[in-house]
Amino acid sequence: MSGILEGKRVLITGVLMESSIAFHTAKLAQEQGAEIILTAFPRPTLTERIAKKLPKPTKVIELDVTNEEHLGRLADVVGEELGSLDGVVHSIGFAPQDALGGNFLNTPFESVATAMHVSAYSLKSLTMACLPLMQNGGSVVGLTFDAQFAWPQYDWMGPAKAALEATSRYMARDLGKQNIRCNLVSAGPIGSMAAKSIPGFNELASVWDSRSPLEWDLKDPEPAGRGVVALLSDWFPKTTGEIVHVDGGLHAIGA
C-alpha cells in the first residue's frame, strides 16, 4: 500500500534538531512516499548532520528567508533537485531575546520588526519564492502556537504568531485560484530548539499538565508532524485558511 504522499515533492524548513516537529515531518513525509528537500539557516551543516538520521538521503540548501538573494535563487536550486513542488512546510520562527521572557512592555520596535519578518512575513516570501515550482497547485503548511491567548513568557512571539495566522488566511484567499491550499498546524509545546530560546518555557508548558484533555508529551513531536503531513496530502483537497489544533485539546478548554 502506497503512502499518502506518494509521488509528492516537498520543501521543508526548520529541521534543527531530531526533537523538532520539522524533523518528524520530514521523516513521516519520506515514509509516506514523498521526495523532500530541506532548507537551513544559519548553520546548514547542523541540518546536514540531523538529516542523516532520516530514512533516505536528502539535500540541504542554505536559505535565509529575510535575504532576497537567497529567495530569488530558491526556485532554480530546488527545481534542479526536484523539478517541481507539491508542498512547502514553513517551520520558521525567531524573536530576539529582548522580545521574550516578560519584557513585552520594554521591547524596542527593531526587535519586534525582526520577529514579525522572520516569523510571519516569511510565510508569504517563502511561498512566493516557491510559486514558480507549484504550477499544478499544492499545499503550504505552517506551524503556529495558538495566538488567541496571551501566554506566559511568550511576549512578542504571540503577536508574531497572530500575524502568521492572518497571513495564512490572506494567502489562502489569493492562492486558491491556483489550487494552492494554505493551512497551519497549531501545536502544543515541544521541547525543541525554539522552546529552549524562550526564557521560562517550563512555566508556559506546565499549563498542559492541568488543562489538556488528552495527555500531552513535551518530548513527542510526532503528533504535530502527522498533522502537517495530513495537510500536505490529498486527503484535505478543499481545506484552506484553516488552523488545525494538535495540542491535546487544550484550545477548547476554558479553565
Side-chain angles (χ1 to χ4, degrees), residues 172-185:
R173 180 194 71 179
D174 290 349
L175 294 176
K177 57 183 175 291
Q178 297 176 56
N179 197 32
I180 293 173
R181 296 170 283 124
C182 191
N183 297 289
L184 300 176
V185 167

Side-chain angles (χ1 to χ4, degrees), residues 52-72:
K52 290 177 181 176
K53 299 182 180 182
L54 291 170
K56 299 175 186 175
T58 183
K59 186 177 179 65
V60 177
I61 58 177
E62 184 179 24
L63 175 67
D64 174 0
V65 288
T66 68
N67 185 313
E68 290 299 325
E69 289 184 15
H70 284 200
L71 291 166

